[in-house]
Amino acid sequence: KLAAAISGDCIQETNSCLQIIFLSPLPDAEITITDKNGKTVVHEPPTFINKGKTLYIETPNGYPYTVKIISPIMDITGDIIEEESE
C-alpha cells in the first residue's frame, strides 16, 4: 500500500512550495509532475522511493498539477487541484 502526504508549507519563508512526502517505500518508481500548462515541474527517473522521500514544487501557482507515478507494483495518476487554506 502506498501512502503520501501533500503539504503547502514553505522551504524558506520567502519561497512558497508544495511538498509531496512518501510515507511508504516504492521500488523503481518514475515520478512526473506537470503544471496546468503541461510543463514538467518535477521528474524523477526510475528509482527506489524510500519512506520519507520528499519532492518539492517551488512557487505552486500552476494548479491543477498532475502527478504520475509509474512502477512495477502500481501506476498512479492524480491531480492536485488547489492548496488547502487555513
Side-chain angles (χ1 to χ4, degrees), residues 31-58:
I31 302 166
T32 304
I33 302 173
T34 55
D35 66 12
K36 66 183 175 188
N37 298 317
K39 178 182 174 192
T40 299
V41 293
V42 172
H43 180 260
E44 293 282 323
T47 188
F48 185 86
I49 302 297
N50 291 308
K51 179 179 178 180
K53 178 175 179 65
T54 304
L55 298 177
Y56 299 96
I57 305 170
E58 295 183 25

Side-chain angles (χ1 to χ4, degrees), residues 3-86:
I6 298 173
S7 169
D9 294 338
C10 295
I11 298 174
Q12 300 172 348
E13 288 186 21
T14 57
N15 292 334
S16 179
C17 73
L18 183 67
Q19 301 175 12
I20 299 176
I21 304 166
F22 290 84
L23 304 177
S24 59
L26 186 62
D28 298 322
E30 180 176 2
I31 302 166
T32 304
I33 302 173
T34 55
D35 66 12
K36 66 183 175 188
N37 298 317
K39 178 182 174 192
T40 299
V41 293
V42 172
H43 180 260
E44 293 282 323
T47 188
F48 185 86
I49 302 297
N50 291 308
K51 179 179 178 180
K53 178 175 179 65
T54 304
L55 298 177
Y56 299 96
I57 305 170
E58 295 183 25
T59 61
N61 56 8
Y63 289 104
Y65 288 99
T66 299
V67 180
K68 292 183 182 181
I69 303 172
I70 300 170
S71 79
I73 294 175
M74 68 180 76
D75 293 345
I76 300 169
T77 300
D79 292 325
I80 302 170
I81 56 172
E82 65 182 35
E83 186 173 351
E84 185 176 296
S85 59
E86 295 183 36

